[in-house]
């Protein structure tokens, strides 16, 4: 092949690759995923800190091992070229169509966050999902025709499928079938950054995978026999040994035990930090809420924390603790926790229980709701159910409707009827941030003991402790020391007792 022919072939192939990338980027027939913001309103403000992790997530990925005549061009592959084309399918009972549509649009947002192109979405009304193929044999044939017409390579069911349902549906539609739980676990595995987060996600994935392993018959078995078979038992011991699927299950169980031990080992460090805050009587506020409600953006707006912000579901998984102060100088902490979603896989709730303990150990729960979402009541109920599971139902709760700049006046009236004492804020425009700070200051627990002491000047550490963890009422400097009146904790009151007036 001549050099001119090589160059012509290179240009044609490159044009075809770029055209395919552009087509896949545009191909979303199903419609807007309502769990995600519009790109024009998802801009990040200067409060959102360093967004370098976003650049890494969307960067070009080098694919190793490609050795073609175009190796200088095609070794660099744009991420969109590997996106899966998916069709969504759901089942809903009579009277639940609106809720089912919201759930399917949320599944579309989950699929897009996981890196897929949603081509279409279909729902079937029936009292209960079909125990064999989830949607019934006839509808499965219709789904097969839809998959063939759209060119999809994956079907995602809006529920957690039983292993038999997934296999039966795959046999009909002839493409890969996964469920909602698989998509959420995939997103978590992409976004986990800390060692503990990665271990928690891996444990949840293995708990999900274990009952779904597929065997391939006796041909994969390990034959036992002879003097070495079955521990050297000789005659009468020959026959099929441990099969491949049994071996895989044993390895998974061993790995799960190792991961559980690792997660337990992370606990003492977190407990030590929490105990230090308790010893110094530093109150804590846990920011919790639905995924993509704007928890990290709100944390950045309140504390300039610089936490990663992205218009995606489950963008941040690791708990982030930031220190801040009230208007009168009292120190407290904000904790940004993992977000929730309807039908959150129970494997994730169990695996992330150690992280969710931060909510149960806090003094106040700051419950963030996306005010622009079509179903804010559903978000509220979903999050409160999980909060109840971790034993934090009785904690003081401040409800915050975020993204107030996207809420119409009529919708505000509806939301106020839903939660009369809620606060409307916008992390993007800054609306309502100061009022929210004042509400948090008012809700924080007040120090229990009132003291009046004359603190010598050589014990300035006690005065500093009053400023940091107590509530100073008055302070006057005299010849012998500082005359202070304050509300302090019992521990600090004991230290001030020798100087009491």
């Amino acid at each position: 092949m001549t050099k001119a022919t090589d160059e012509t072939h290179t240009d044609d192939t490159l044009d075809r690759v770029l055209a395919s990338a552009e087509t896949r980027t545009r191909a979303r027939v199903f419609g807007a995923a309502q769990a995600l913001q519009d790109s024009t309103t998802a801009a990040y403000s200067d409060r959102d800190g360093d967004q370098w992790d976003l650049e890494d997530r969307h960067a070009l990925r080098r694919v190793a091992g490609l050795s073609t005549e175009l190796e200088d061009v095609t070794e660099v592959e744009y991420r969109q070229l590997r996106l899966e084309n998916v069709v969504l399918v759901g089942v809903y009972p009579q009277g639940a169509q609106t809720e089912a549509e919201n759930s399917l649009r949320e599944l579309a947002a989950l699929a897009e966050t996981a890196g897929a192109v949603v081509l279409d979405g279909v729902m079937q009304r029936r009292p209960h999902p079909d125990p064999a193929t989830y949607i019934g044999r006839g509808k499965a044939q219709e789904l097969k025709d839809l998959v063939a017409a759209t060119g999809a390579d994956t079907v995602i069911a809006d529920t957690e499928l039983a292993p038999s349902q997934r296999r039966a549906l795959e046999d009909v539609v002839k493409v890969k079938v996964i469920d909602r739980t698989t998509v959420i676990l995939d997103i978590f595995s992409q976004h986990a950054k800390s060692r503990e987060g990665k271990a928690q996600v891996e444990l949840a994935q293995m708990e999900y995978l274990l009952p779904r392993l597929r065997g391939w018959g006796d041909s994969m078995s390990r034959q036992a026999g002879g003097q070495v078979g079955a521990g050297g038992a000789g005659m009468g011991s020959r026959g099929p040994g441990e099969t491949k699927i049994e071996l895989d299950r044993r390895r998974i169980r061993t790995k799960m035990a190792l991961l559980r031990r690792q997660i337990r080992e992370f606990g003492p460090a977190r407990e030590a930090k929490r105990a230090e805050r308790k010893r110094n009587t530093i109150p804590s506020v846990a920011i919790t809420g639905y995924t993509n409600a704007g928890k990290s953006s709100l944390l950045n707006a309140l504390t300039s924390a610089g936490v990663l912000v992205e218009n995606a579901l489950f963008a941040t998984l690791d708990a982030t603790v930031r220190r801040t102060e009230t208007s009168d100088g009292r120190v407290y902490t904000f904790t940004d926790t993992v977000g929730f979603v309807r039908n959150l896989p129970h494997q994730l709730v169990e695996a992330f229980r150690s992280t969710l303990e931060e909510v149960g150990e806090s003094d106040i729960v700051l419950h963030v709701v996306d005010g622009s979402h079509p179903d804010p009541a559903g978000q509220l109920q979903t999050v409160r159910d999980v909060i109840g599971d971790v034993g934090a139902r009785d904690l003081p709760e401040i409800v915050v409707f975020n993204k107030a700049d996207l809420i119409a006046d009529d919708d505000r009236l509806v939301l106020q009827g839903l939660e009369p004492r809620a606060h409307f804020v916008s992390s993007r425009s800054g609306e309502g941030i100061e009022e929210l700070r004042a509400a948090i200051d008012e809700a924080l627990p007040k120090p229990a003991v009132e003291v009046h002491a004359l603190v010598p000047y050589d014990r300035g550490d006690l005065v500093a402790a009053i400023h940091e963890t107590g509530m100073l009422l008055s302070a006057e400097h005299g010849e012998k020391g500082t005359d202070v009146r304050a509300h302090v904790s019992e521990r600090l009151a004991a230290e001030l007792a020798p100087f009491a007036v």
Side-chain angles (χ1 to χ4, degrees), residues 252-403:
I252 288 178
R253 290 191 184 100
T254 303
K255 180 64 174 178
M256 286 168 60
L258 176 63
L259 289 170
R260 288 193 180 101
R261 185 166 66 248
Q262 287 179 351
I263 293 172
R264 283 197 301 269
E265 290 172 355
F266 290 121
R270 191 188 310 103
E271 286 291 337
K273 295 177 183 177
R274 191 182 299 149
E276 179 67 15
R277 294 197 296 268
K278 285 185 176 180
R279 189 179 70 83
N280 292 320
T281 63
I282 298 178
S284 64
V285 178
I287 303 178
T288 187
Y290 215 74
T291 181
N292 207 40
K295 298 182 299 299
S296 298
S297 297
L298 186 60
L299 177 66
N300 290 339
L302 290 168
T303 66
S304 301
V307 178
L308 170 72
V309 173
E310 183 180 9
N311 182 29
L313 308 188
F314 302 113
T316 51
L317 301 181
D318 303 316
T320 302
V321 180
R322 290 294 182 268
R323 167 183 169 134
T324 187
E325 295 183 358
T326 64
S327 56
D328 55 7
R330 286 177 292 151
V331 174
Y332 66 99
T333 61
F334 274 115
T335 303
D336 182 19
T337 61
V338 64
F340 306 125
V341 71
R342 73 181 76 198
N343 302 325
L344 188 67
H346 70 275
Q347 296 96 336
L348 282 174
V349 176
E350 289 300 319
F352 277 78
R353 185 167 293 277
S354 57
T355 302
L356 296 174
E357 285 175 1
E358 294 287 348
V359 179
E361 296 290 336
S362 63
D363 295 289
I364 298 173
V365 174
L366 193 64
H367 186 167
V368 183
V369 183
D370 182 356
S372 63
H373 193 272
D375 186 21
Q379 287 197 0
L380 277 165
Q381 188 58 45
T382 297
V383 175
R384 283 172 174 166
D385 288 344
V386 181
I387 288 176
D389 290 342
V390 297
R393 195 182 298 275
D394 297 329
L395 292 177
E397 180 189 47
I398 299 177
V399 177
V400 178
F401 287 114
N402 197 16
K403 307 181 184 178

Side-chain angles (χ1 to χ4, degrees), residues 134-195:
Y134 178 57
I135 56 176
R137 180 70 60 175
K139 294 299 179 184
Q141 288 290 342
E142 294 182 24
L143 180 62
K144 176 184 178 181
D145 296 338
L146 177 62
V147 167
T150 57
D153 47 39
T154 305
V155 171
I156 305 179
D158 191 21
T159 186
E160 182 171 326
L161 294 177
S164 59
Q165 286 177 314
R166 184 175 64 84
R167 287 196 297 269
L169 194 56
E170 276 185 349
D171 291 341
V172 176
V173 298
K174 305 302 182 184
V175 296
K176 181 174 69 173
V177 175
I178 59 177
D179 57 19
R180 185 187 185 96
T181 300
T182 305
V183 177
I184 294 176
L185 290 172
D186 185 78
I187 296 171
F188 270 58
S189 67
Q190 290 182 45
H191 293 177
K193 294 297 179 185
S194 68
R195 288 178 58 206

Side-chain angles (χ1 to χ4, degrees), residues 57 163 174 217 269 288 309 405 411 469:
R57 287 186 186 179
K174 305 302 182 184
T288 187
V309 173
D405 53 322
D411 293 333
T469 64

Side-chain angles (χ1 to χ4, degrees), residues 224-237:
Q227 289 296 325
V228 297
M235 288 184 293
S237 66

Side-chain angles (χ1 to χ4, degrees), residues 20 34 44 90 102 112-113 128 139 174 176 188-189 192 301 314 351 365 394 442 484-485 500:
S20 175
Q34 293 181 0
Y44 310 118
N102 287 334
E112 290 177 11
T113 301
H128 305 286
K139 294 299 179 184
K174 305 302 182 184
K176 181 174 69 173
F188 270 58
S189 67
F314 302 113
V365 174
D394 297 329
E442 183 65 27
V484 295
R485 294 177 183 271

